[in-house]
Amino acid sequence: MVLVVSEEVRDAVDARRPVVALESTIISHGLPRPRNLQVALELEAAVRAEGAVPATIAVLDGRPCVGLEKGQLERVANEDGFRKLGHRDLPLAVASGASGATTVSATALLAASAGVRVFATGGLGGVHREWTLTQDESADLGLLARTRITVVCAGVKSILDVPATLQRLETLGIAVAGYGTDRFPGFYLSDSGHPVDWTLETPQQAAEVMRAQDALGAPESALIVANPVPEAEQLDPELHTRVLADALHACEKAGVTGQGVTPFLLDYLVRHTDGASLSANLAAVRGNVRLAARIATAWTEA
């Protein structure tokens, strides 16, 4: 696959300056217009404020692009019919000349292919509830099990089966550490109710783990740095529990299955928390982007 890497990103990677990959699904599918473009520009500005180069990733007219100019960001934010692309979709999108926003799995793959080691996102995909019946598991996990990249996230989406996802991450050999916490974050919540075995306190410690991965010659798997949303900005836990239960019931009643489940549940949470879940989501993403830039900087200082 021929990547189109922006000159700024390519120069930074070649000179070993810090770069942070950013996914584009939040722009095209996660936020309403025109707020989506505002947030995209804000996240890139936050990376730059920490001294790193942002590399927002998308596929435009069949070309996987690592690092977007403003006009390209505007396309992602405003163009109708933009596809949502996982890593399995990339060959099809390239061959057909399609345009689409990249999910976690596609972003991680393209970032790693371009030599970008650090990636910031909101929450990972994972094992879905009632997995024993549906066998529904995000493609994120399998891809991260074979891709050397550090992913800064706020845990996994709380609509998923969190303990099953943690078990699956362990089975796949994907390293997980809480940032400043021994609890696994719950995306909208600072604490999912489940522990993590390892805690990192500084960006430098995260960078040391990355170096140890390389020095050990370990399998090409990811490092998950689970960074909780600040308690003051999290979704009220009682509201979260109540609305999520209602959302799951509504989803079952509507007969929504497969890929339709996650967008249905997330939309339900936004509407029935009066936008509070979206505010918590954005607070998490902003914190993850800043931390990712600091880790990328520590990584390049060796």
Side-chain angles (χ1 to χ4, degrees), residues 5 64 137 215 224 262 265-266:
V5 182
E137 175 186 312
I224 305 301
T262 294
L265 294 177
L266 295 179

Side-chain angles (χ1 to χ4, degrees), residues 58-140:
V59 177
L60 300 175
D61 304 317
R63 298 176 301 161
C65 299
V66 179
L68 303 182
E69 298 176 355
K70 185 178 179 182
Q72 293 173 315
L73 278 174
E74 290 172 348
R75 278 194 64 186
V76 176
N78 298 321
E79 194 169 295
D80 293 328
F82 232 68
R83 288 180 174 269
K84 186 176 181 180
L85 304 176
H87 71 279
R88 71 166 190 168
D89 303 306
L90 292 175
L92 294 160
V94 169
S96 64
S99 296
T102 52
T103 65
V104 166
S105 68
T107 303
L109 176 61
L110 295 174
S113 298
V116 179
R117 186 65 181 266
V118 182
F119 167 31
T121 187
L124 294 183
V127 177
H128 285 249
R129 295 166 187 256
E130 299 186 350
W131 181 89
T132 54
L133 297 176
T134 65
Q135 302 286 292
D136 193 355
E137 175 186 312
S138 172
D140 295 354

